[in-house]
Amino acid sequence: MTLDIYNRIKDTDELVFPGTRLAVTEEFIGGQGTFSEGNYIYAAVAGKVNINIEKHEISVMSKAKPANVPRNGDIVIGGVVNASRQMITISVNYINNKEVYPTYTMVIHVSQISREYLDSVDEAVRLADIVRAKVIDAKTIPLQGSLIGSQLGVILAGCSRCGRKLEKIGRDKLKCSECSYFEKRTTTIDYGSGKLAFKT
Ligand SMILES: [Zn+2]
Protein backbone atom coordinates (compact mmCIF):
# COMPACT_ATOMS: atom_id res chain seq x y z
CA MET A 1 0.00 0.00 0.00
CA THR A 2 1.37 3.39 -0.98
CA LEU A 3 0.51 6.81 0.27
CA ASP A 4 -1.86 8.90 -1.85
CA ILE A 5 0.56 11.78 -2.04
CA TYR A 6 2.95 9.69 -4.15
CA ASN A 7 0.26 8.51 -6.52
CA ARG A 8 -1.64 11.69 -7.21
CA ILE A 9 -1.23 13.41 -10.56
CA LYS A 10 0.76 16.62 -10.41
CA ASP A 11 -1.15 19.84 -11.02
CA THR A 12 -0.62 22.28 -13.85
CA ASP A 13 1.99 24.93 -12.99
CA GLU A 14 3.35 22.84 -10.15
CA LEU A 15 7.13 23.15 -9.95
CA VAL A 16 8.88 19.81 -10.27
CA PHE A 17 12.43 18.52 -10.44
CA PRO A 18 14.02 15.83 -12.61
CA GLY A 19 12.87 12.42 -11.42
CA THR A 20 9.60 13.63 -9.91
CA ARG A 21 6.81 11.17 -10.59
CA LEU A 22 4.11 13.03 -12.55
CA ALA A 23 1.36 10.59 -13.46
CA VAL A 24 0.55 7.01 -14.43
CA THR A 25 0.94 5.95 -18.06
CA GLU A 26 -2.60 4.53 -18.11
CA GLU A 27 -4.00 8.03 -17.80
CA PHE A 28 -1.48 10.25 -19.54
CA ILE A 29 0.96 10.40 -22.41
CA GLY A 30 4.36 11.76 -21.49
CA GLY A 31 5.14 14.92 -23.45
CA GLN A 32 8.11 17.26 -23.67
CA GLY A 33 10.42 17.23 -20.65
CA THR A 34 9.27 13.83 -19.39
CA PHE A 35 10.23 10.19 -19.60
CA SER A 36 8.33 6.99 -18.87
CA GLU A 37 9.52 4.06 -16.86
CA GLY A 38 7.33 1.17 -15.80
CA ASN A 39 3.81 2.47 -15.30
CA TYR A 40 4.82 6.01 -14.52
CA ILE A 41 5.75 9.25 -16.20
CA TYR A 42 8.57 11.24 -14.62
CA ALA A 43 9.96 14.74 -15.08
CA ALA A 44 13.19 14.76 -17.10
CA VAL A 45 13.87 18.44 -16.44
CA ALA A 46 13.17 21.00 -13.73
CA GLY A 47 10.23 23.22 -14.55
CA LYS A 48 6.48 23.69 -14.46
CA VAL A 49 3.97 20.95 -15.15
CA ASN A 50 1.71 21.44 -18.15
CA ILE A 51 -1.37 19.26 -18.60
CA ASN A 52 -3.25 19.05 -21.88
CA ILE A 53 -6.59 17.50 -20.94
CA GLU A 54 -7.75 16.95 -24.54
CA LYS A 55 -4.61 15.06 -25.52
CA HIS A 56 -4.18 13.46 -22.11
CA GLU A 57 -0.64 14.70 -22.27
CA ILE A 58 1.52 15.76 -19.36
CA SER A 59 4.72 17.68 -19.98
CA VAL A 60 7.26 19.80 -18.12
CA MET A 61 8.25 23.23 -19.38
CA SER A 62 11.88 23.76 -18.52
CA LYS A 63 12.73 27.06 -16.87
CA ALA A 64 16.16 27.15 -18.50
CA LYS A 65 16.44 28.91 -21.84
CA PRO A 66 17.75 26.24 -24.23
CA ALA A 67 19.86 28.75 -26.17
CA ASN A 68 21.85 29.52 -23.03
CA VAL A 69 22.90 25.96 -22.31
CA PRO A 70 26.27 25.31 -23.92
CA ARG A 71 26.61 22.37 -26.28
CA ASN A 72 29.56 20.87 -28.08
CA GLY A 73 30.42 22.96 -31.12
CA ASP A 74 28.87 26.16 -29.79
CA ILE A 75 30.82 29.36 -30.35
CA VAL A 76 31.40 31.44 -27.25
CA ILE A 77 32.92 34.81 -26.43
CA GLY A 78 34.50 35.70 -23.15
CA GLY A 79 37.35 37.33 -21.31
CA VAL A 80 40.50 35.60 -20.11
CA VAL A 81 40.30 35.69 -16.32
CA ASN A 82 43.28 33.47 -15.58
CA ALA A 83 46.31 32.40 -17.58
CA SER A 84 49.08 29.97 -16.75
CA ARG A 85 51.72 28.35 -18.99
CA GLN A 86 49.46 25.36 -19.60
CA MET A 87 45.96 26.78 -19.83
CA ILE A 88 43.67 29.76 -19.80
CA THR A 89 40.38 30.23 -17.99
CA ILE A 90 37.61 32.15 -19.71
CA SER A 91 34.50 33.72 -18.30
CA VAL A 92 31.95 33.05 -21.05
CA ASN A 93 29.59 35.98 -21.70
CA TYR A 94 28.08 34.96 -25.03
CA ILE A 95 27.01 31.61 -26.44
CA ASN A 96 26.17 31.61 -30.17
CA ASN A 97 25.91 35.42 -30.05
CA LYS A 98 23.41 35.38 -27.18
CA GLU A 99 24.36 36.91 -23.87
CA VAL A 100 24.39 34.52 -20.93
CA TYR A 101 24.00 35.24 -17.26
CA PRO A 102 25.32 33.91 -14.98
CA THR A 103 28.46 33.32 -16.96
CA TYR A 104 30.00 29.91 -17.63
CA THR A 105 33.62 29.08 -16.93
CA MET A 106 35.66 27.50 -19.70
CA VAL A 107 39.23 26.23 -19.71
CA ILE A 108 41.41 25.89 -22.79
CA HIS A 109 44.52 23.75 -22.61
CA VAL A 110 47.71 24.92 -24.35
CA SER A 111 47.30 22.14 -26.95
CA GLN A 112 43.95 23.68 -27.98
CA ILE A 113 45.24 27.26 -28.25
CA SER A 114 47.09 27.03 -31.56
CA ARG A 115 47.84 24.56 -34.33
CA GLU A 116 51.49 25.43 -33.84
CA TYR A 117 53.44 24.14 -30.85
CA LEU A 118 53.53 26.63 -27.99
CA ASP A 119 55.99 26.56 -25.10
CA SER A 120 53.62 28.70 -23.13
CA VAL A 121 50.06 29.97 -23.50
CA ASP A 122 51.22 33.61 -23.43
CA GLU A 123 52.74 33.29 -26.91
CA ALA A 124 49.17 33.30 -28.23
CA VAL A 125 46.79 34.70 -25.63
CA ARG A 126 47.10 36.65 -22.40
CA LEU A 127 45.18 37.68 -19.33
CA ALA A 128 42.28 40.09 -20.01
CA ASP A 129 42.15 39.33 -23.75
CA ILE A 130 38.72 38.81 -25.28
CA VAL A 131 38.51 35.55 -27.21
CA ARG A 132 36.12 33.70 -29.47
CA ALA A 133 36.28 29.97 -28.72
CA LYS A 134 34.51 26.73 -29.46
CA VAL A 135 33.02 24.34 -26.91
CA ILE A 136 34.64 20.92 -27.30
CA ASP A 137 33.24 19.33 -24.15
CA ALA A 138 30.07 20.80 -22.69
CA LYS A 139 29.55 18.00 -20.20
CA THR A 140 32.45 18.90 -17.95
CA ILE A 141 32.63 21.65 -15.35
CA PRO A 142 34.34 23.86 -16.27
CA LEU A 143 33.60 23.61 -19.98
CA GLN A 144 36.47 22.53 -22.23
CA GLY A 145 37.19 24.78 -25.17
CA SER A 146 39.39 25.33 -28.18
CA LEU A 147 40.77 28.35 -30.01
CA ILE A 148 41.73 26.33 -33.08
CA GLY A 149 39.63 27.39 -36.07
CA SER A 150 39.55 30.15 -38.68
CA GLN A 151 37.22 32.46 -36.79
CA LEU A 152 38.52 31.53 -33.37
CA GLY A 153 41.19 33.23 -31.30
CA VAL A 154 41.78 36.62 -29.74
CA ILE A 155 39.26 39.22 -30.95
CA LEU A 156 40.51 42.06 -28.77
CA ALA A 157 43.63 42.59 -26.68
CA GLY A 158 45.17 45.34 -24.63
CA CYS A 159 48.79 46.38 -24.41
CA SER A 160 50.70 44.61 -21.62
CA ARG A 161 52.53 47.86 -20.84
CA CYS A 162 49.90 50.58 -20.99
CA GLY A 163 46.59 48.75 -21.41
CA ARG A 164 45.55 50.54 -24.62
CA LYS A 165 43.99 48.58 -27.45
CA LEU A 166 46.51 46.75 -29.62
CA GLU A 167 46.27 47.25 -33.39
CA LYS A 168 46.76 44.29 -35.69
CA ILE A 169 49.69 44.94 -38.03
CA GLY A 170 50.25 41.46 -39.42
CA ARG A 171 49.40 37.84 -38.96
CA ASP A 172 49.47 37.32 -35.19
CA LYS A 173 51.44 40.54 -34.79
CA LEU A 174 50.05 43.45 -32.82
CA LYS A 175 51.29 46.92 -31.99
CA CYS A 176 50.24 49.39 -29.34
CA SER A 177 49.18 52.67 -30.94
CA GLU A 178 50.08 54.50 -27.75
CA CYS A 179 53.50 53.21 -26.68
CA SER A 180 54.50 51.31 -29.87
CA TYR A 181 55.05 48.09 -27.94
CA PHE A 182 54.89 44.94 -30.11
CA GLU A 183 53.03 41.84 -28.97
CA LYS A 184 52.10 38.43 -30.33
CA ARG A 185 48.65 36.86 -30.26
CA THR A 186 46.69 34.23 -32.15
CA THR A 187 44.11 36.61 -33.56
CA THR A 188 40.95 36.13 -35.57
CA ILE A 189 40.56 37.56 -39.08
CA ASP A 190 38.12 40.15 -37.71
CA TYR A 191 40.33 41.11 -34.76
CA GLY A 192 39.46 44.54 -33.37
CA SER A 193 36.31 44.97 -35.46
CA GLY A 194 34.15 44.87 -32.36
CA LYS A 195 31.91 42.32 -34.02
CA LEU A 196 30.75 39.52 -31.80
CA ALA A 197 29.00 37.68 -34.58
CA PHE A 198 30.55 34.89 -36.56
CA LYS A 199 29.53 33.18 -39.76
CA THR A 200 28.66 29.52 -39.66
ZN1 LIG B 1 51.05 50.32 -24.94
Side-chain angles (χ1 to χ4, degrees):
M1 191 178 153
T2 50
L3 293 167
D4 272 357
I5 193 166
Y6 293 114
N7 282 330
R8 78 171 179 82
I9 291 160
K10 296 290 177 187
D11 300 319
T12 283
D13 283 345
E14 191 169 344
L15 194 64
V16 294
F17 294 93
T20 303
R21 187 187 291 173
L22 302 171
V24 290
T25 51
E26 279 175 12
E27 294 176 57
F28 282 94
I29 300 162
Q32 191 187 331
T34 72
F35 66 94
S36 301
E37 202 173 288
N39 298 320
Y40 297 97
I41 298 164
Y42 299 87
V45 296
K48 281 184 176 178
V49 174
N50 187 288
I51 295 172
N52 185 323
I53 297 294
E54 285 172 18
K55 290 184 181 173
H56 292 273
E57 187 182 78
I58 191 161
S59 51
V60 179
M61 298 304 171
S62 174
K63 285 179 80 185
K65 291 173 189 165
N68 287 352
V69 178
R71 293 185 171 85
N72 289 358
D74 282 354
I75 304 297
V76 305
I77 287 170
V80 179
V81 293
N82 194 27
S84 70
R85 281 176 62 90
Q86 289 300 310
M87 66 168 63
I88 55 170
T89 306
I90 292 162
S91 177
V92 172
N93 301 110
Y94 291 86
I95 298 175
N96 294 336
N97 299 333
K98 291 194 181 74
E99 198 169 357
V100 286
Y101 189 85
T103 59
Y104 286 88
T105 302
M106 168 185 269
V107 293
I108 303 179
H109 187 258
V110 64
S111 64
Q112 289 292 337
I113 300 273
S114 170
R115 280 195 181 89
E116 291 156 37
Y117 174 79
L118 300 175
D119 274 329
S120 178
V121 159
D122 67 8
E123 292 170 35
V125 55
R126 292 190 177 193
L127 190 67
D129 287 355
I130 308 297
V131 299
R132 186 187 292 128
K134 185 170 74 181
V135 178
I136 57 172
D137 194 344
K139 291 198 169 61
T140 58
I141 297 172
L143 304 167
Q144 304 284 325
S146 175
L147 287 185
I148 298 173
S150 66
Q151 295 186 63
L152 307 181
V154 176
I155 59 172
L156 193 64
C159 174
S160 298
R161 275 187 178 168
C162 73
R164 295 292 177 94
K165 182 186 160 186
L166 291 167
E167 304 294 336
K168 187 171 178 170
I169 56 164
R171 185 177 168 269
D172 296 348
K173 205 174 177 190
L174 303 170
K175 185 187 176 186
C176 177
S177 53
E178 188 72 17
C179 73
S180 299
Y181 191 58
F182 288 97
E183 297 204 29
K184 206 179 160 222
R185 296 287 200 282
T186 297
T187 57
T188 58
I189 292 162
D190 60 350
Y191 171 90
S193 70
K195 284 181 189 153
L196 297 177
F198 61 95
K199 294 186 183 101
T200 50

